[in-house]
Amino acid sequence: MPKVKTSVASRKRRLRTLKNARGYFGNKSRLFRYAKDAVQRAGKYAYRDRRVRRREFRRLWITRINAACRAAGCKYSSFMAGLKKLNVELDRKQLSELAIHDEAAFSALVKKVIDSLAK
């Protein structure tokens, strides 16, 4: 049985890793030995931070909604409870955008929620 030659595959793998390491500082962008570790670590951080980004955006939206609610005379928690009671199916991202770009509509929504909670 003939010997399997892996030079083409190895070279392709190394070039792919070096391509992913472009822009890294020092030897990490030039030498496979160091680029391999740097690319692997970067991949771990990227995977983790794709999930962290979702958490951070949700926190941002909640903060914006809370600020807009308090300006309209309501707390965030009671506002969200009122929305649930009214069966309003706007998510936090949409509510945040509404609070930023259309304050009048958001204030009207808050007023409707306050009225429903008073009943």
Side-chain angles (χ1 to χ4, degrees), residues 60-75:
L60 175 67
W61 298 330
I62 288 171
T63 304
R64 286 176 176 171
I65 295 166
N66 189 22
C69 283
R70 288 184 186 271
C74 183
K75 288 186 193 171

Side-chain angles (χ1 to χ4, degrees), residues 7-52:
S7 58
V8 175
S10 298
R11 185 74 186 144
K12 188 175 179 184
R13 188 180 68 247
R14 289 185 191 120
L15 285 174
R16 184 173 57 231
T17 301
L18 286 169
K19 184 177 173 222
N20 287 335
R22 279 181 56 193
Y24 291 3
F25 183 79
N27 283 339
K28 290 190 294 256
S29 66
R30 292 188 291 270
L31 302 178
F32 174 72
R33 177 182 193 169
Y34 303 109
K36 180 177 61 174
D37 294 337
V39 167
Q40 195 171 26
R41 181 174 290 119
K44 286 179 186 175
Y45 285 134
Y47 179 84
R48 181 195 69 188
D49 290 340
R50 280 193 294 273
R51 278 121 194 100
V52 170

